[in-house]
Amino acid sequence: MPDLHVRPYSIAELNNLSETKVDVNTPIRLYFRSAKSVLQQARVYMNEGDFQEAYRLYMKYTKLGLSELRKHPKFSLAENKVDIKAIEKNCNEALNAMELMKPKLEARYKEYLHRLEKEKERQRKLKEEEGIQSRLRKLAYVEEKTQVDEEPANKPWSLQDELQGVVGVGSQTEAAYRQSLDNSPHVYYPGVLQRNQSDQFTYQANTGDVLIKSPPIPRKEPLVPGNIPLNLPPIPPKVHLDAGPAPSLPPKIELEVSKDISNDVGDFSDATTENGEPLRRINTPSKIMERFLEIASSNTNRNLETCGILCGHLKSNELTVTTLLIPKQTSTSDTCTTENEEDVFEYQDRHDLLTLGWIHTHPTQSCFMSSVDLHTHCSYQLMLPEAIAIVCAPKHKPNYGIFRLTDPPGLDVITRCREPRAFHPHPDVPIYTDALDLGHVRMSPLSFKVVDLR
């Protein structure tokens, strides 16, 4: 699914994102647990005000309970009537909740489209203005180049030419110069009669003071070739820094968290599935492996596997492991099977706990996911995409690993696998991957509870 905290989605888009399919070869009890997990999460998101994600999960629940589960061959069995009845009842809750949230979601999406249209219009105007400025710069460049090209090329520089017409230079006499003076203010300089040996001009003056009029400053002509006016559009006035505050721009459309009430939003994981779908962060107690190995030590000394279930809560779009649940189980050196699962479900329901994954030991083997482990974990990840499997191998290095099935191809490969043998090969593709390094698992010094049901 896309990250619903990026932008508002329409009701039609949310309906598409809530699609779910039932595999007839997957035990129906897994879908019952998955439906319960979806309902729990939907309630959390609604209570936190994240109506968009709540709507999607409620919709997923109703599709599963009212449509998809009916396609399972075990749906009509008497043993499933209690679970089916509970799901149908909860579908009424889901439908009522969606009716309440729908107007809010539609209003938010409409506002988003309006803001998006305004932003597009602003960008269009900016591009038009940039185009005008670019054309003006090109015209100015052509004018300047034309003026340079019209100046005489390769003409040698001459001091005589530069001084031609300057008062007091050449053959003009002092008397003639005095006659040309008008009533303008005068400046008196000491008179000097000297012939310049470098340029052959005579700088004429008497030994007395010479009255010299300051020459007028010539008027500057516009830098247009031939003084021909160009029909250019007026250049917009510049905004000076000291001219007061700059005009405000329309607000930018920011990526917004889909919330209707103010609350603290969690630190979202940057991890995604191989398909690009975002994974919520799982906060895991850093001491949980050490504590689990202590509990499993008696079995480990006898080369028997031990397993536990990782339970926890959802808050602010983050999952946190709060409870290590040890179920009744039977073990061998290579397998571990839980018993009396109803006791586990009853405890989880009573304490409103989500199943976030599982943990088990490899007392004689290294740290990896066996074919049995892959099939066991598939049921967890079908219930929750972020579900993790922790493998502890106390006699090897590394002595633990945190994994998940790739999606794709791993989840699909294991879901479709029909091999009856416990240990069997799978296609040579990356079926599982590390979930800790650069993944969605964060180890933290969190406290947790141990519940041993054995």
Side-chain angles (χ1 to χ4, degrees), residues 73-258:
K74 305 292 185 181
F75 177 81
S76 299
L77 294 181
E79 62 193 50
N80 296 325
K81 282 186 177 180
V82 174
D83 291 307
I84 295 296
K85 209 166 189 179
I87 288 177
E88 290 175 347
K89 178 183 177 181
N90 290 329
C91 281
N92 291 328
E93 172 198 331
L95 291 170
N96 290 334
M98 287 190 291
E99 283 301 312
L100 290 175
M101 293 184 288
K102 187 175 179 180
K104 296 177 182 290
L105 294 173
E106 288 176 334
R108 185 193 290 122
Y109 185 68
K110 185 177 180 180
E111 179 188 359
Y112 165 75
L113 292 179
H114 177 68
R115 292 172 60 198
L116 188 63
E117 191 61 34
K118 285 180 65 177
E119 176 66 12
K120 288 180 179 178
E121 179 64 17
R122 187 179 76 89
Q123 294 292 341
R124 185 186 65 78
K125 289 181 179 179
L126 284 177
K127 286 184 179 179
E128 287 182 357
E129 184 177 340
E130 288 174 359
I132 293 173
Q133 294 295 336
S134 176
R135 290 193 293 273
L136 289 175
R137 287 193 294 268
K138 288 180 181 178
L139 286 172
Y141 173 77
V142 170
E143 293 170 19
E144 182 179 354
K145 190 173 185 303
T146 303
Q147 181 182 8
V148 171
D149 291 344
E150 289 181 354
E151 292 180 355
N154 300 323
K155 181 180 179 181
W157 183 85
S158 169
L159 181 59
Q160 292 183 8
D161 292 339
E162 295 295 329
L163 296 176
Q164 186 68 38
V166 177
V167 175
V169 179
S171 60
Q172 184 180 15
T173 64
E174 178 184 344
Y177 176 67
R178 283 180 178 275
Q179 292 177 2
S180 68
L181 296 177
D182 55 15
N183 295 326
S184 300
H186 302 146
V187 180
Y188 293 88
Y189 293 92
V192 177
L193 179 61
Q194 181 179 350
R195 184 177 183 80
N196 191 302
Q197 298 298 321
S198 63
D199 57 15
Q200 302 303 314
F201 278 96
T202 300
Y203 295 83
Q204 308 258 353
N206 287 333
T207 55
D209 290 341
V210 177
L211 183 63
I212 300 176
K213 177 186 177 185
S214 299
I217 300 174
R219 183 175 65 87
K220 291 185 178 180
E221 298 294 335
L223 297 176
V224 179
N227 293 328
I228 301 175
L230 296 178
N231 294 323
L232 300 177
I235 299 177
K238 295 182 178 179
V239 177
H240 297 284
L241 295 178
D242 57 355
S248 58
L249 295 174
K252 253 169 59 175
I253 292 183
E254 303 290 348
L255 301 182
E256 62 177 16
V257 177
S258 171

Side-chain angles (χ1 to χ4, degrees), residues 371-385:
S371 58
V372 173
D373 297 339
L374 294 173
H375 280 269
T376 300
H377 185 64
C378 183
S379 63
Y380 287 93
Q381 203 164 316
L382 284 173
M383 288 192 293
L384 187 80

